[in-house]
Amino acid sequence: MDDAISLSTLLEQVFVFERYGEVLVLLQNSLYAGALVGLVGGIIGTFVMMRDLAFAVHGVSELSFAGGAIALLAGTSIVTGSLLGSVIAALLIGLLGARSRAANSVVGVLMPFGLGLGILVLSLYQGRSANQFALLTGQIVSVSEIQLVSIAILSIVVLAGLGLLWRPLSFASLDPAVAQARGLPIRGLSIVFMLLLGVAVALSVQIIGALLVLALLVTPAAAAMSLTASPGRVVVLSVVFAEAAMLGGTLLALGGSLPISPYVTTISFLLWGIARLLGRRRRASGRLPRSGRPAGQPQAQSRTGSAAGSIEMTAGPEPTGSPSA
């Protein structure tokens, strides 16, 4: 029993707020980076849920981890290595598995390979163990100006790409069969989206680590979908939840002695749990559809709010005009 840690000792290790004001001033880059990653994760996470690609996020993160580990061993930029690993994984998943069922088998192959390769490379690394640990659990307290600029640029790329593809990507995610019949390049959209997802995963891995990236790219969107059937509100709530998890986790991590990932994942999980309970009450009262998923269920178009309604108006009657209609 002598080795047991008391509750007060545990809390002192988790929450250390000595000279907290000075720390916040010195580490403002960490807050800016967290806000950018939360914004990207909240928005792209809605499409991840719509397209049922939560498993793919984990697969991409494992190859991102492997790429970062190789870069660490080679003495080059970890950000570049992580990004290359994510993009390669995203391309493989996009090319070999356009939809979730096919993608799952590809992810099931890539995930253990990426994790095993990353562990092998880290076992060969003879440098600081903190660098190894950061790839798995994240690191927020040492965001430099160069890293912040790279995170900002990559965030703009992802947000701009999603903005340009928003309507066709939403259509293809809600009902791919109808979208393909209307002439949308489903395969091309899938590949481009996976590339954007790869960049978003690389951003998240830098902050919260490869093992817990789902807490930022999946959990906020899942919580939002538990509360509303409106596609627009889902995006807004997902961003709010992601920002709350990221900024709240960042503020706690800056005042604590633990990596950022436990704080982010705990806040994200609590938000999801509360959203599930509130969503269940709303469904019981009839104010929310029983499906609880405003997007990503083509067979339930009538329940998906205004976006699905517009799809039904477009695709409802049998096409009698020209094929391009």
Side-chain angles (χ1 to χ4, degrees), residues 13-62:
Q13 293 179 356
V14 175
F15 304 107
V16 183
F17 291 99
E18 295 180 0
R19 307 175 68 178
Y20 189 66
E22 298 178 11
V23 172
L24 285 180
V25 174
L26 293 174
L27 300 177
Q28 289 184 356
N29 288 347
S30 301
L31 292 174
Y32 297 148
L36 287 172
V37 173
L39 176 62
V40 172
I43 294 176
I44 202 169
T46 59
F47 287 101
V48 170
M49 294 299 296
M50 288 165 66
R51 301 174 71 85
D52 197 18
L53 291 175
F55 191 45
V57 172
H58 198 24
V60 174
S61 69
E62 299 297 359

Side-chain angles (χ1 to χ4, degrees), residues 19 26 58 68 71 103 118 161 163-164 168 226 231 245 247 249-250 269 271 279 289-291 299 308:
R19 307 175 68 178
L26 293 174
H58 198 24
L164 292 173
S226 298
L247 293 180
T250 301
F269 175 78
L271 290 173
R290 289 286 178 180
S291 65
Q299 67 271 25

